[in-house]
Amino acid sequence: LMTTTSLQLSLNSECNFFAGSRTDGLQHSQSALSGTLPHFLQEPDDAYIIKSNPIKLRCRAQPALQIFFKCNGEWVHQNQHTAMEHADQGTGLKIREVMINVSRQQVEDFHGPEDYWCLCVAWSHLGTSKSRKATVRIAYLRKNFEQEPQGKEVPIKSMIVLHCRPPEGVPAAEVEWLKNEEPISSLEDDNIDTRASHNLIISLARLSDSGNYTCLASNIVAKRRSATATVIVFVNGGWSSWTDWSECNVRCGRGVQKRSRTCTNPAPLNGGAFCEGMSVQKSTCNAPCPVDGGWSEWSQWAECSTECERHRSRDCSAPEPKHGGQLCDGAALDTENCTGGLCTQSESSSSSSPGIEGNNDVALYSGLAVGLVTMVLLIAAFMLYRRNQSEYGVDVIDSSALTGGFQSFSFKTARQGNPLLMNSSIQPDLTVSRTYTSPICFPDSMDKELISEPSLFDPLPDLKVKVQSSFMVSLGVSDRAEYHVKSPPQTFPRGLVPDRSAVETLDRKEKSLLIPQGLNPSCTSRPLLRTDGVFGHAGGRLVVPNTGVSLLVPHSAIAEDTTWELHMIISQEDTGPQSEDDSEVLLSPSVTYGPPGLDLSCPISMTIAHCADVSAADWSIRLKRQTQDSGWEEVMTVDEESVSCYCQLESQCCHLLVNRPGRYALVGEALTQAAGKRLKVAAFGSMEPDAVSYSLRVYCVDDTPHAFQEVVSLERGQGGRLLEEPKTLLFRRSSFSLQVSIQDVPQFLWSIKPFTTCQEFTFSQVWCSNQTPLQCAFSLERFSPAANQLSCKISVRQVKGHEQILQVYTTVTEVVKHSCSDHSDCTITSQTGSRAFKIPPSIRQRICATFDTANAKGKDWQLLAQKLNIERNLCYFAQQASPSAVILNLWEAQHQEKGDLDSLARALEEISKVHCKSSASSCSNEDLDSDYT
């Protein structure tokens, strides 16, 4: 370090240098310097050292002969300075700039009463000037929060305060709040304040304020997240107004009348308390008894009239009839002859009497004759009606008698309220699941007409059902589709196809011999997991109901002179294609299509549902096929290019283009801890035979229609009821277990065994469930048979992960356990002909003719694939004889349940617009019509 003496000598020599110069320019500079102290144009700023990166401190002064840094009271060596010098062009004054580096080691080695500091000292001929002190600190942010927010349950319209004290850090950390991973801003919501000492304050709690809150602290070094605090805003139940008093329960005397109210004003939500008090109020009542009427005394006889009669009367007033009593029985007027027989009639009156009697007899006999003729006509008309009705066939009448009538139905793909949910007065139907939008049966997705239930057709094996599609009629296509049941797999040349109705009748008769009389075949085993269909050159579609699995056979894939029976099977075996070390998990059901010797000219489209969360690139998903030795071989990886198979992966299903029949399945390998798969969580309940215990069962299954259908089939046999809409839970690859707990059980109405309120599945049980339902049961006992209402909350959560709440609020009723539901599953699974496709054959041919061959307009199949959002693995389509046809087949598979030709029409319209913009000449309407109509 330089001493003060050496600095003074340096300044003296500098001054002597200026004194020896006698030029006019130097004299002018010296005159300016003589009256000015150094002025700092830039002073050193406070700085933070991040990790091990040194910081730079800068000083710039004018006029200045020398500038040196002084740190912690000691001069910094001249060799550590980097200096630059230039003259101000306006004033000619010398400007000097100096910079030094300060390392982390220097700051750590300093042990003083204050922070490490540095300042600049600048010299001129007049004297020295000092800059401000700049502190240098090591930036850091500790890991642990001094106070983390705590989860809480609060009533609606109350205040919520979540405390947060961020970790210690330099510089001090700034705090930001997240709700369900989304930032919260007090500027957008006046009900929220995040400015009070890092705390989050919600003035009036709303139902929408329920969620997972996280305190996020950050500075220039790092970010820290607090533990997630779950806030639940609950609503305590409130009684509705009392209904009017009912009528007295007795017609006479002392009885009881009652009125009721419900806990719906509001209904308890999110675990809120159930209403306290009685829902029914009774009161005594006195119903007046009926009083029968009684006759009063006869009045005095009236005077004798000119007709030789006299009258007397009486009233029904002793007593009068009251409160529904009977009227008096008898005549109120009495008449008698008042002359003792001395009064006689005139001759004219006597002679007219026989004539009147004769007229009355004629009228009587005429009426009887007319009635008899009318009766004969009615009997003849009824017999004629019965004779005409018999011509419609005995089978239909008999089937209606067997089934007791039927109701029309049509499924809706949009949610209209889950029919599985329990109603206090209606037993739900567990045979049809409408939770999924996957293929259920063809009347759901393609026909707008209502058809009768399948149970109606069970006794009619030789019947073919034909349904006209209004959608295809609008396109000018009038072909009808036929739905067939299965028959022994064979291949038949054209013209030699056997009588399908005869085969079906025989097949059903054989089945009836194996099933006990009086039982529905669908009730004796698990849901039907095999489906068959006969297809020819026109192609068609094959669906396994309620499983999300379907097969599309393209038009002209089968030779014109050949008919094949295809089948699809969902395997129920425990073994699968996943690896033995559990690095791979099964993400879809294992699906087989055949027969093995199937010969097709182009690939078929197969759709399989999966349960992987593909929103992020956390999975390596592979398609595998079973070999002849029961092993499994990898066909392709979804993200890689392949010419043997094509895979279009969507959020809930996968569309495959394959050529070889066989057994296929999707498996996945988690690449990160954030990889997750979707679970479907559902709660069912039923009363035990002792009428005291209530069994509440919670299922966690892979989120595929097939897996959930297994649960529905199981509960159908146990008489279970779905208590809450099933919910989806994301289960991460974090090695943490899954916990299922029951909470908020009314302690004064129900009891549950100690230490059974929380049950747990290990991580491997859930992660490697392989489409198998996981079940846990809670047994509750009611204290009184009058306790017929149950409200509780079921929490399903992964430790340090996501959570779902099932809110149960139900009326417990004693029901008889049925072996199966009264309705049977839809068995229409195959569809042939043009009605199986969205695109009519004529339009398909014109599109393929336009795009299969590249031309000067640039409208080739690659542009078509791009506009239909098919941009990956185009080398697969290039290997096909008609790339456009295969692209359209894939589009058909993607849009089998939703959408129509509008999306395809929009894509063709965009291609036309692109061509018009790129073409040198304008496009005419005639050109567009010829290419894309």
Side-chain angles (χ1 to χ4, degrees), residues 368-394:
L368 291 175
V370 171
L372 181 61
V373 172
T374 303
M375 180 64 68
V376 172
L377 293 177
L378 289 175
I379 294 174
F382 178 75
M383 297 300 293
L384 181 61
Y385 173 77
R386 290 291 303 270
R387 181 180 179 183
N388 292 336
Q389 288 295 321
S390 64
E391 295 176 0
Y392 289 100
V394 181

Side-chain angles (χ1 to χ4, degrees), residues 22 61 212 220 280-281 286 316 340 398 409 414 450 452 464 478 514 544 596 635 702 729 848 894 926:
R22 299 300 182 185
N212 297 321
I220 60 176
V280 178
Q281 193 176 61
N286 291 306
C316 187
D398 291 344
F409 75 97
L450 299 178
S452 59
K464 292 182 180 179
S478 59
L514 301 177
V544 182
V635 179
D702 291 346
L729 175 69
C848 294
Q894 291 176 296
E926 181 180 359

Side-chain angles (χ1 to χ4, degrees), residues 812-875:
V812 178
T813 57
E814 299 178 11
V815 297
V816 180
K817 187 178 296 184
H818 298 283
S819 60
C820 69
S821 177
D822 295 334
H823 302 285
S824 58
D825 288 338
C826 178
T827 56
I828 300 176
T829 58
S830 65
Q831 190 176 28
T832 61
S834 59
R835 284 215 36 228
F837 304 95
K838 298 283 185 181
I839 308 173
S842 58
I843 297 179
R844 172 186 290 268
Q845 292 176 2
R846 298 180 66 178
I847 294 176
C848 294
T850 303
F851 290 98
D852 272 346
T853 304
N855 51 46
K857 298 180 181 180
K859 294 176 290 187
D860 60 354
W861 63 268
Q862 294 184 359
L863 183 58
L864 176 64
Q866 178 184 357
K867 294 302 179 181
L868 295 180
N869 299 320
I870 302 174
E871 302 179 355
R872 189 185 57 81
N873 199 9
L874 296 183
C875 60

